[in-house]
Amino acid sequence: AVESSHVENVVCEAMIASSIDLVAAAESFGIGPPDRALPEPRLEISFPEDGTTAAIYQSGRIVVTGANDEDAINKVLGYVMDTLGLELE
């Protein structure tokens, strides 16, 4: 039997837009261009204070990894959406 548990990594995937211009998004975040060598080009933004990483895809999908709780995910999603000028519909 498990006596206690500890969440170590929460992953969130969400569609935040119908499409995202990755070049314009990179400029908004002040980072280099998207990695086009990958099968699906994406921007990756690290948040060292939370240990999280956000991967932003041209399709409008965002994947947040490394979070320990829902608050960390909401913080990253909020930052990304604010930076890109998006709102939840």
Side-chain angles (χ1 to χ4, degrees), residues 4 6 25 30 36 42 45 47 51 69 73 79 88:
S4 67
H6 176 72
R36 299 210 179 269
R42 66 178 179 250
I45 303 166
F47 300 87
D69 56 38
I73 288 173
Y79 173 75
L88 289 175

Side-chain angles (χ1 to χ4, degrees), residues 22 33-36 38-44 54-58:
L22 293 182
D35 187 343
R36 299 210 179 269
L38 300 170
E40 186 178 1
R42 66 178 179 250
L43 290 176
E44 286 193 6
I56 303 169
Y57 297 86
Q58 186 172 350

Side-chain angles (χ1 to χ4, degrees), residues 25-85:
E27 290 175 8
S28 295
F29 288 107
I31 60 175
D35 187 343
R36 299 210 179 269
L38 300 170
E40 186 178 1
R42 66 178 179 250
L43 290 176
E44 286 193 6
I45 303 166
S46 295
F47 300 87
E49 65 279 0
D50 297 326
T52 57
T53 299
I56 303 169
Y57 297 86
Q58 186 172 350
S59 64
R61 180 170 58 106
I62 181 172
V63 177
V64 180
T65 60
N68 289 324
D69 56 38
E70 194 173 327
D71 289 339
I73 288 173
N74 289 334
K75 180 179 171 184
V76 171
L77 286 176
Y79 173 75
V80 169
M81 293 184 70
D82 286 349
T83 302
L84 295 178

Side-chain angles (χ1 to χ4, degrees), residues 5-10 67-70:
S5 64
H6 176 72
V7 175
E8 293 191 21
N9 187 15
V10 178
N68 289 324
D69 56 38
E70 194 173 327

